[in-house]
Structures are given as structure tokens and as C-alpha cells.
Amino acid sequence: MSRILDQRILLLVISFLTSLQSTKVLSEWKKCGDRECETAMSRVQATTDYLGPDCRYLNFRTGEEIMVYSKLSRKNENLWTGSKGKDFGYFPKDAVKVEEVFIAEEVEVLTKETDFLCLHGDTF
């Protein structure tokens, strides 16, 4: 009985740590094309295949087009946010090349905790 209880506690701890990781703030600030970050800033093309570490990231293959909506700034400038079809998530800016810029003047805004939740319904 004690062993079963120990296993359940361990599973509970693992579940808790996973949920903490899923809401980890990647940056306090982001740059967008507008204050609501609803306007596409640019269109980029993947220069390499990318498979993100968790459900907050956008996976893609070389050659796919992605619409960019925000760019993390200050603490973690390497990550951008964008969409490909119905999928939406973070990806490294070094994995893409800019094809077309829609908005040259960027607005810096504070991120929200909801910015770092799983963006497309997947789980860990």
C-alpha cells in the first residue's frame, strides 16, 4: 500500500513540474505590429526543419511559409511567434528567412502569462 502511495505522489510531483514548465515565461517583453499583436508583421520561409521542445512551439519543415505576429524582446530575442495554417507557436528566428515585411515599425509591449500556455491544444 505504501509503495502505491509513493508512486502516486511521484506522478503528482511530475505532473506539477510539467505544468510549471508549460507556463514558464520566456520573456517579459515582445515586439508586435500593433498593441494587440493581431497584425502580421512579416512572412518568412523556413530554412531548416524545426521540431520544438514542447507544445508552445511551432513545428515546420524547410520551405514552409510562416506568418510572424510577434518577436520576443530583451531577455529572449531569438524567439518569434507565428502561424502556419491552423498551427501557432514560437520558433527560433535563425530557422527562417524573411520573405516580405508588412510592418516595419514595431511596438514593444509586455507579455502576458497566457502568451506562454500551449497555443494549439497539444499536451506534454
Side-chain angles (χ1 to χ4, degrees):
M1 182 69 172
S2 173
R3 185 173 176 93
I4 292 172
L5 184 60
D6 289 345
Q7 289 175 342
R8 287 185 180 172
I9 291 172
L10 179 61
L11 287 174
L12 185 61
V13 168
I14 290 170
S15 175
F16 175 73
L17 292 174
T18 299
S19 70
L20 282 179
Q21 180 184 2
S22 68
T23 58
K24 180 181 173 195
V25 173
L26 301 171
S27 179
E28 299 289 326
W29 295 89
K30 63 184 175 180
K31 294 179 182 176
C32 303
D34 60 71
R35 290 220 153 280
E36 293 76 31
C37 299
E38 294 175 352
T39 305
M41 299 173 70
S42 60
R43 180 176 51 83
V44 299
Q45 185 176 44
T47 57
T48 185
D49 292 353
Y50 178 72
L51 180 61
D54 63 49
C55 59
R56 298 174 294 171
Y57 292 80
L58 182 67
N59 300 322
F60 49 80
R61 296 199 178 277
T62 303
E64 290 187 305
E65 289 189 350
I66 301 163
M67 300 300 285
V68 177
Y69 288 91
S70 68
K71 303 172 181 180
L72 296 185
S73 60
R74 299 188 188 188
K75 180 180 175 185
N76 197 353
E77 294 184 0
N78 183 48
L79 291 176
W80 290 0
T81 311
S83 67
K84 175 190 70 135
K86 294 180 183 179
D87 295 330
F88 191 84
Y90 294 95
F91 60 91
K93 69 179 184 179
D94 296 339
V96 299
K97 68 177 177 180
V98 176
E99 293 286 307
E100 186 175 3
V101 175
F102 303 130
I103 297 178
E105 206 162 314
E106 300 172 347
V107 178
E108 191 171 49
V109 297
L110 283 167
T111 60
K112 302 174 217 160
E113 187 174 321
T114 55
D115 290 339
F116 305 105
L117 298 176
C118 288
L119 302 174
H120 41 78
D122 295 341
T123 57
F124 286 93

